[in-house]
Amino acid sequence: MSQYYQYDVLIIGSGAAGLTTALTLPQHLSIAVLSKGNLSSGSTYWAQGGVAGVLDETDTIESHVQDTLVAGAGLCNEDAVHFTVENSRSAIDWLIEQGVPFTRNEPSESTNSLFDYHLTREGGHSHRRIIHAADATGAAIFSTLLEHARQRENIHLIEQQAAIDLITSKKLNRDTQTDACLGAYVLNSATNEVDTYAARFTVLATGGAAKVYLYTSNPDSACGDGVAMAWRAGCSVGNMEFNQFHPTCLYHPEAKNFLITEALRGEGAHLKLPNGERFMSRFDSREELAPRDIVARAIDHEMKRLGIECVYLDISHKPADFIKEHFPTVYERCLSFGFDITQDPIPVVPAAHYTCGGVAVDQHGHTDLANLYAVGETSFTGLHGANRMASNSLLECFVYARAAAKDITLLDSQVPLPSDLPHWDASLVRDSDEDVIITHNWEELRRFMWNYVGIVRTNKRLLRALHRARLLEYEINEFYSNYRVSRDLIELRNLVLVAELIIRSAMKRKESRGLHYTLDYPNLSDQPQDTILSPLPRANADD
């Protein structure tokens, strides 16, 4: 039997952004943190690199800002960049206060760090400013924040909860001047019932949408759920065409989604062709430390030019003890597949990694819809522009999650608890006997997105992709209308919508900039603008 729950704050997503929001909110608020799978099933747990911030006495806020603006290829929102960087130290201090076990300097190491933590450098950064926990920073942060959340009586952590749609006053035809979010309908995977969550404030922290591509470094949960739900609720989205492909994922048939951290290149690893030749100097003077879009395109170019299945990342020229100490996770994982990275190069390929666009928000994480917030990779803050600089994403999670929590706290007394929300109506649907449709459409969608809307694009490819996406969307929505919901169906419905938003955004950009590279418009526009899409009737939505 379906259940009805009431909370002050409903947080959909249990990663860095969601947990930080929950822990920053006052303890008198009742908070539900929902996880689609297990609590650790999101991207945070798998993040290897670290958190960027101005932490070295030779570094400056302006230097970090300028590096971000350069990486963003002229499309960053400068206010968002300054806001994020200026709050980097306080966000990292908060993480240290929580007890995150960041890697400390060895007693013999000389350092300019403002405190005794090891800082590394990654692509696009002009200084060492990445604080990390060896090469498993995400796991260290997640475990620490989760432990604190479990100790808070007002925070309820609930697993196996797949949010279906947001509940809004407009959808319920309630006579209010301003449309507002009232909560969400959520599938409880344990009971197969759809429960109703009423909440004064709702926070989308569902991560990105890289699962829309065939090859990705992301976990299976990265289906763009928050973006799709927000769009259906009437929120604008921005810059969905900018999907970052991480240059170096382990190439092995059994190594599902394993990312080789950019910190290897930061510490001197070389990219090589199968014959041992280095090639990055032909594409950028920064070589292996060029921004990720340049490195990914260079690898893609060499693979297509030579007809090879992968290139190689080689750090074996560094001392073995150094490699094992700084990259224990990568060392052990590669060794399990027969690669000793102290002696052997690592076979790597690009893979979809990060969604730079998302639900449009302000500096408080607030969306177009009253009482609805989006934080982390779900959101579009303007920080990343046309290309995310390494380790700015985790920083964005903490800065904007804390800002959203502060805004909710200020509005606490002004927003009443929604009342009498209707239960989910499943009276006209039946159990599916054709789940093969879900499996087939899932595979078709991800394959044509990889082939047509990948690292290099053309007008013809985008048109083909849009046509296929809309055919699939029609089939999936028809299926959704007639059968009981399942997690697979919820994710597929969201994924096909996000795919269409990505394609439409890519079609609107008549230039090549950052992560969007098209053979039909290879040059930069003189007047770059963000790509903002707002929900419209289909008759007016063709771009």
Side-chain angles (χ1 to χ4, degrees):
M1 184 176 178
S2 63
Q3 301 296 313
Y4 190 99
Y5 300 101
Q6 293 180 319
Y7 287 93
D8 292 315
V9 184
L10 171 64
I11 300 175
I12 304 174
S14 61
L19 290 176
T20 299
T21 306
L23 290 169
T24 310
L25 287 166
Q27 297 198 33
H28 72 269
L29 296 177
S30 61
I31 303 166
V33 178
L34 307 186
S35 178
K36 187 164 60 171
N38 298 326
L39 289 170
S40 62
S41 60
S43 294
T44 296
Y45 185 85
W46 304 103
Q48 297 175 17
V51 187
V54 181
L55 308 170
D56 185 283
E57 64 183 20
T58 67
D59 197 6
T60 64
I61 287 175
E62 191 56 36
S63 176
H64 191 170
V65 167
Q66 287 303 312
D67 288 347
T68 301
L69 294 177
V70 170
L75 209 60
C76 296
N77 180 308
E78 292 198 29
D79 289 340
V81 176
H82 277 278
F83 175 74
T84 306
V85 174
E86 288 167 2
N87 285 281
S88 63
R89 180 62 190 268
S90 63
I92 291 169
D93 283 343
W94 179 78
L95 290 170
I96 292 172
E97 289 170 8
Q98 305 308 303
V100 177
F102 291 118
T103 299
R104 293 184 178 271
N105 286 308
E106 294 295 327
S108 60
E109 288 185 285
S110 61
T111 176
N112 294 311
S113 174
L114 296 174
F115 42 52
D116 192 30
Y117 291 95
H118 183 268
L119 304 178
T120 190
R121 180 183 172 191
E122 296 181 349
H125 291 275
S126 59
H127 290 75
R128 286 182 173 266
R129 60 168 70 103
I130 316 300
I131 190 169
H132 61 102
D135 62 348
T137 307
I141 290 173
F142 174 80
S143 299
T144 302
L145 298 185
L146 181 61
E147 181 180 353
H148 282 283
R150 282 176 166 156
Q151 294 171 0
R152 290 266 295 265
E153 292 184 358
N154 67 314
I155 298 177
H156 299 167
L157 303 167
I158 313 172
E159 297 181 314
Q160 308 301 327
Q161 306 293 314
I164 303 170
D165 263 324
L166 298 173
I167 305 170
T168 69
S169 50
K170 184 177 180 180
K171 287 181 180 179
L172 299 182
N173 295 317
R174 296 196 170 178
D175 187 18
T176 57
Q177 288 185 332
T178 303
D179 194 15
C181 184
L182 309 176
Y185 290 117
V186 179
L187 173 67
N188 183 331
S189 297
T191 64
N192 288 321
E193 295 286 350
V194 176
D195 298 330
T196 305
Y197 282 79
R200 298 196 293 131
F201 303 95
T202 301
V203 181
L204 297 172
T206 58
K211 205 67 182 177
V212 75
Y213 288 102
L214 184 62
Y215 302 113
T216 174
S217 66
N218 284 201
D220 290 341
S221 59
C223 297
D225 300 319
V227 173
M229 286 190 290
W231 175 266
R232 289 194 293 265
C235 296
S236 300
V237 299
N239 286 3
M240 291 298 293
E241 71 270 34
F242 297 119
N243 299 278
Q244 188 173 68
F245 290 80
H246 197 287
T248 54
C249 283
L250 179 60
Y251 179 72
H252 189 281
E254 297 178 13
K256 184 180 180 182
N257 304 343
F258 186 69
L259 175 70
I260 304 298
T261 174
E262 186 162 356
L264 264 83
R265 286 182 285 127
E267 294 295 344
H270 298 153
L271 281 165
K272 296 180 177 180
L273 299 176
N275 64 1
E277 175 191 355
R278 293 180 65 184
F279 59 89
M280 277 307 304
S281 62
R282 299 201 296 271
F283 297 90
D284 195 280
S285 61
R286 290 164 290 186
E287 299 182 325
E288 281 81 4
L289 289 178
R292 288 175 175 175
D293 62 319
I294 295 174
V295 179
R297 276 205 305 275
I299 295 173
D300 183 68
H301 175 85
E302 291 300 303
M303 287 173 59
K304 288 176 178 174
R305 180 177 73 88
L306 297 173
I308 55 179
E309 295 182 328
C310 66
V311 296
Y312 294 86
L313 186 65
D314 190 359
I315 198 171
S316 63
H317 53 280
K318 291 286 186 177
D321 289 344
F322 172 88
I323 295 170
K324 293 177 183 178
E325 178 185 349
H326 286 270
F327 306 107
T329 304
V330 175
Y331 173 76
E332 292 294 339
R333 182 69 165 167
C334 288
L335 196 62
S336 70
F337 293 110
F339 306 114
D340 181 348
I341 67 172
T342 65
Q343 302 179 39
D344 308 319
I346 309 167
V348 294
V349 293
H353 182 58
Y354 189 84
T355 308
C356 287
V359 184
V361 299
D362 61 17
Q363 284 190 0
H364 306 293
H366 204 279
T367 70
D368 297 337
L369 188 61
N371 309 329
L372 178 68
Y373 297 78
V375 290
E377 196 175 350
T378 305
S379 67
F380 163 61
T381 65
L383 170 66
H384 304 304
N387 182 22
R388 175 185 72 106
M389 189 166 69
S391 293
N392 269 354
S393 49
L394 276 176
L395 175 63
E396 181 187 45
C397 277
F398 305 121
V399 169
Y400 278 86
R402 283 155 54 85
K406 181 178 179 181
D407 196 63
I408 290 171
T409 303
L410 291 173
L411 296 174
D412 179 21
S413 62
Q414 303 175 31
V415 179
L417 185 68
S419 59
D420 301 324
L421 300 186
H423 284 261
W424 179 262
D425 184 5
S427 61
L428 300 178
V429 297
R430 60 188 186 277
D431 291 328
S432 168
D433 57 359
E434 294 182 306
D435 281 356
V436 66
I437 293 175
I438 298 176
T439 304
H440 175 83
N441 287 355
W442 176 274
E443 293 175 353
E444 181 181 348
L445 172 65
R446 298 179 67 215
R447 186 168 294 278
F448 77 66
M449 285 296 291
W450 180 263
N451 290 334
Y452 296 156
V453 201
I455 296 173
V456 177
R457 300 162 178 175
T458 66
N459 287 343
K460 184 178 289 187
R461 292 175 192 172
L462 293 175
L463 280 170
R464 287 173 175 169
L466 183 63
H467 177 68
R468 282 161 173 76
R470 287 181 169 170
L471 286 174
L472 286 182
E473 194 172 6
Y474 175 81
E475 289 182 11
I476 293 163
N477 285 334
E478 184 179 42
F479 192 91
Y480 174 82
S481 300
N482 290 289
Y483 296 103
R484 294 188 189 280
V485 293
S486 64
R487 174 174 165 175
D488 286 346
L489 178 56
I490 292 167
E491 290 181 332
L492 180 60
R493 177 178 179 240
N494 291 336
L495 213 57
V496 73
L497 173 55
V498 169
E500 182 182 343
L501 295 175
I502 292 172
I503 298 163
R504 287 176 52 198
S505 297
M507 294 176 72
K508 285 176 69 71
R509 185 162 296 282
K510 309 299 186 183
E511 63 166 348
S512 288
R513 182 178 298 274
L515 300 168
H516 174 73
Y517 185 80
T518 168
L519 296 177
D520 291 299
Y521 305 100
N523 299 317
L524 290 171
S525 168
D526 294 333
Q527 296 180 318
Q529 294 182 332
D530 291 326
T531 304
I532 306 297
L533 301 181
S534 297
L536 294 169
R538 173 51 56 79
N540 299 320
D542 293 328
D543 295 303

